[in-house]
C-alpha cells in the first residue's frame, strides 16, 4: 500500500518518495524512528492498529507514545478480515462452526501470526462472544500460520483477507465470515460475523498515515488531501478493492478521534486476553 501511494505521490509532486522498511517488534522500531524525526512533513509512517492501538498494552514498555508523539494524518486502508476454515472442518456457516466447537470443546485449533496480533485477538473475542473453547497456536508471522492451516495442522484462522483470498478462490480454504462491519467487495456472498450470528463483532485491521507531533497543520492538511486524491484514483481503487483493502476518507480530526477510540478499545481487549509480547 505504501508503495502504491508513494508512486502516486511521485507523479503528483515530482519529488521522489522513499519507502524505508524497518521491521521488528511488531512495527515499534520503524514507528519510533518517525516519532523522533523532525516534524517537517518529510518523514512519515504507515501506522497500523498494532503500532497505534494494540502495542501500548501488549508490550510492557514502548519507546514512543502512540497518541502524544504523532499527528494522525489520514486513514488509508482497512485490510478486511476473514474467518477461514480448513476444508476438513464440517461446518458451512458460523452457526454450524459454533455448534461444532461446543460439541467438541478443545478439539479445533486456531492459528495466528503471533500473540497479540489482530488474528489472535479476533479469536479471543470470538471465544468470549460465542462462549466456546478453542486453543490458540501463535506462529512467527501469517505465512507459517496459513501454511499449517493449508496442511490441516490447524482448523481455522482469523486473517486479513489479502493473505487468504487466493486460497479461498482456489477452494483450498473455506470462507465463513467477514470480520468487519460491512461485507467485502472481494467476497460479496460471505456474510459478516454480525450477520452470521454474533451481533456486535467487529475487528478492523487498519493502516493510516502519521506524522511526528508538531508537524504544521498546513502540511498535515496537504498530506490528507493528497492521500484522498490518490486513493480515489480508479486504478488504485481497482487494485486495492480486488485484494480486500477498503479506503475510508477522513479528515485529520476524524482520524485522530478514530485512533483514540481504537487505542482504548484494544487496550481492554488485550488486557482481557492476557497476551504479552515480552
Amino acid at each position: 500500500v505504501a508503495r502504491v501511494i508513494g508512486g502516486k505521490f511521485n507523479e503528483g509532486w515530482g519529488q521522489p518518495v522513499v519507502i524505508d522498511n524497518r521491521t521488528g517488534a511488531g512495527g515499534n522500531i520503524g514507528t519510533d524512528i518517525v516519532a523522533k524525526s523532525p516534524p517537517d512533513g518529510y518523514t512519515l509512517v504507515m501506522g497500523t492498529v498494532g503500532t497505534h492501538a494494540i502495542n501500548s498494552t501488549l508490550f510492557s514498555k514502548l519507546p514512543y507514545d502512540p497518541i502524544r508523539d504523532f499527528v494522525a494524518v489520514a486513514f488509508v486502508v482497512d485490510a478486511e478480515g476473514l474467518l477461514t476454515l480448513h476444508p476438513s472442518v464440517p461446518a458451512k456457516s458460523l452457526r454450524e462452526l459454533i455448534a461444532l466447537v461446543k460439541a467438541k470443546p478443545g478439539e479445533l485449533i486456531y492459528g495466528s501470526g503471533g500473540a497479540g496480533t489482530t488474528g489472535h485477538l479476533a479469536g479471543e473475542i470470538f471465544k468470549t462472544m460465542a462462549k466456546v473453547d478453542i486453543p490458540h497456536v501463535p506462529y512467527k508471522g501469517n505465512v507459517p500460520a496459513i501454511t499449517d492451516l493449508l496442511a490441516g495442522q490447524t482448523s481455522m484462522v482469523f486473517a486479513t483477507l489479502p493473505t487468504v483470498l487466493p486460497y479461498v478462490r482456489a477452494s483450498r480454504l473455506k470462507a465463513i465470515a467477514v470480520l468487519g462491519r460491512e461485507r467485502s467487495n472481494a467476497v460479496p456472498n460471505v456474510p459478516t460475523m454480525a450477520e452470521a450470528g454474533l451481533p456486535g463483532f467487529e475487528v478492523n485491521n487498519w493502516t493510516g498515515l502519521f506524522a511526528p507531533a508538531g508537524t504544521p497543520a498546513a502540511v498535515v492538511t496537504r498530506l490528507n488531501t493528497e492521500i484522498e486524491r490518490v486513493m480515489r484514483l480508479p486504478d488504485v481503487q481497482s487494485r486495492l478493492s480486488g485484494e480486500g483493502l477498503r479506503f475510508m476518507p477522513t479528515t485529520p480530526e476524524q482520524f485522530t478521534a478514530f485512533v483514540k477510540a481504537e487505542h482504548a478499545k484494544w487496550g481492554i481487549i488485550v488486557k482481557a486476553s492476557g497476551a504479552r509480547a515480552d
Side-chain angles (χ1 to χ4, degrees):
V1 174
R3 293 189 184 281
V4 170
I5 293 172
K8 296 298 183 180
F9 275 15
N10 286 345
E11 295 173 10
W13 290 347
Q15 182 171 330
V17 176
V18 178
I19 309 300
D20 185 3
N21 295 310
R22 299 295 184 100
T23 60
N28 294 344
I29 292 175
T31 305
D32 185 47
I33 291 172
V34 177
K36 295 175 173 58
S37 296
D40 54 13
Y42 285 92
T43 306
L44 310 166
V45 63
M46 292 289 277
T48 68
V49 62
T51 60
H52 282 77
I54 293 175
N55 289 0
S56 58
T57 307
L58 184 66
F59 290 81
S60 59
K61 185 177 180 181
L62 281 189
Y64 61 87
D65 185 295
I67 304 299
R68 186 184 63 236
D69 293 342
F70 296 91
V71 176
V73 176
F75 186 107
V76 179
V77 293
D78 174 25
E80 299 170 311
L82 194 65
L83 167 56
T84 58
L85 307 182
H86 186 268
S88 65
V89 179
K92 297 179 181 179
S93 68
L94 184 64
R95 293 184 188 279
E96 289 183 8
L97 175 63
I98 293 172
L100 180 64
V101 175
K102 288 183 175 180
K104 299 180 178 181
E107 290 190 21
L108 274 69
I109 299 170
Y110 83 97
S112 79
T117 60
T118 51
H120 168 212
L121 298 176
E124 294 302 310
I125 297 171
F126 172 66
K127 288 164 62 174
T128 299
M129 293 183 69
K131 298 180 174 59
V132 295
D133 177 22
I134 312 176
H136 169 237
V137 178
Y139 289 82
K140 293 182 178 180
N142 286 322
V143 172
I146 293 169
T147 298
D148 264 15
L149 176 63
L150 290 166
Q153 298 299 314
T154 57
S155 310
M156 68 190 81
V157 295
F158 298 81
T160 57
L161 208 155
T163 61
V164 294
L165 190 56
Y167 305 111
V168 170
R169 287 174 171 167
S171 299
R172 297 183 63 191
L173 294 176
K174 290 194 292 187
I176 295 298
V178 173
L179 306 186
R181 183 181 301 177
E182 300 177 4
R183 292 195 182 199
S184 169
N185 291 333
V187 283
N189 295 325
V190 178
T192 65
M193 293 284 282
E195 289 177 318
L198 289 180
F201 188 105
E202 181 181 353
V203 171
N204 299 300
N205 202 339
W206 54 266
T207 296
L209 191 67
F210 294 83
T215 300
V219 173
V220 173
T221 298
R222 184 182 179 191
L223 288 167
N224 178 276
T225 300
E226 185 68 2
I227 284 287
E228 182 157 354
R229 180 192 71 81
V230 168
M231 296 302 291
R232 291 190 182 281
L233 293 172
D235 60 328
V236 173
Q237 281 283 308
S238 176
R239 178 174 179 179
L240 298 183
S241 65
E243 296 181 10
L245 298 168
R246 186 193 302 270
F247 169 59
M248 184 174 74
T250 61
T251 64
E253 293 76 18
Q254 289 170 333
F255 187 44
T256 297
F258 173 82
V259 172
K260 289 180 178 179
E262 285 284 286
H263 185 263
K265 164 189 166 181
W266 284 106
I268 294 171
I269 293 171
V270 173
K271 287 178 181 177
S273 75
R276 300 297 295 174
D278 46 12

